[in-house]
Amino acid sequence: CHVEPDFLFAYRCGAGDPSKGDPPNGCHYTGSAVSGMVLIAHPPVDCGGGNAPIDPSTIGKDAPIDLQAASLEMTRDYTSAPIFVRPSSNNGVPPTGHPRAVFDQSDPKAWEILSTWAAIP
């Protein structure tokens, strides 16, 4: 209820950001454009601003697939996790590089979401 809407969707990880030179849906929604963390475009899960879906029967099959893909890039030490390190780098050199910086490593929103996620048992 927070990782996908407030991080993946908010930073446009799947769709990309055409205003920053990304082709439409040319980032993580396109498996041929990325080597990891392929995401599926789907309607947002309605959590009503809380921590759990209002109606779990409406989640569908795509949101759990996206969470699993993102989880493979996450670690308990989120400051060294690929989901934090790669998109906050713009050197373009694998394995840590990303085609462009999506957010700054000092971004409080990224810190809050990822640190909270890392603390979940």
Side-chain angles (χ1 to χ4, degrees):
C1 283
H2 297 285
V3 172
E4 194 165 50
D6 300 336
F7 188 79
L8 299 177
F9 289 173
Y11 288 113
R12 303 184 54 85
C13 296
D17 188 345
S19 74
K20 295 183 179 172
D22 299 334
N25 292 321
C27 292
H28 290 271
Y29 285 160
T30 305
S32 62
V34 296
S35 60
M37 204 179 89
V38 176
L39 302 172
I40 301 168
H42 63 85
V45 174
D46 184 4
C47 295
N51 295 326
I54 291 175
D55 181 358
S57 70
T58 64
I59 292 174
K61 65 178 178 49
D62 295 333
I65 291 170
D66 284 356
L67 180 58
Q68 181 180 18
S71 294
L72 293 172
E73 303 297 321
M74 181 60 166
T75 63
R76 290 278 178 215
D77 177 9
Y78 67 95
T79 61
S80 65
I83 200 167
F84 178 77
V85 174
R86 287 183 183 142
S88 62
S89 168
N90 65 352
N91 66 12
V93 180
T96 59
H98 198 266
R100 67 170 178 81
V102 176
F103 58 87
D104 187 272
Q105 286 193 351
S106 64
D107 184 325
K109 182 171 139 185
W111 276 84
E112 178 183 5
I113 292 165
L114 295 179
S115 65
T116 301
W117 186 16
I120 296 173

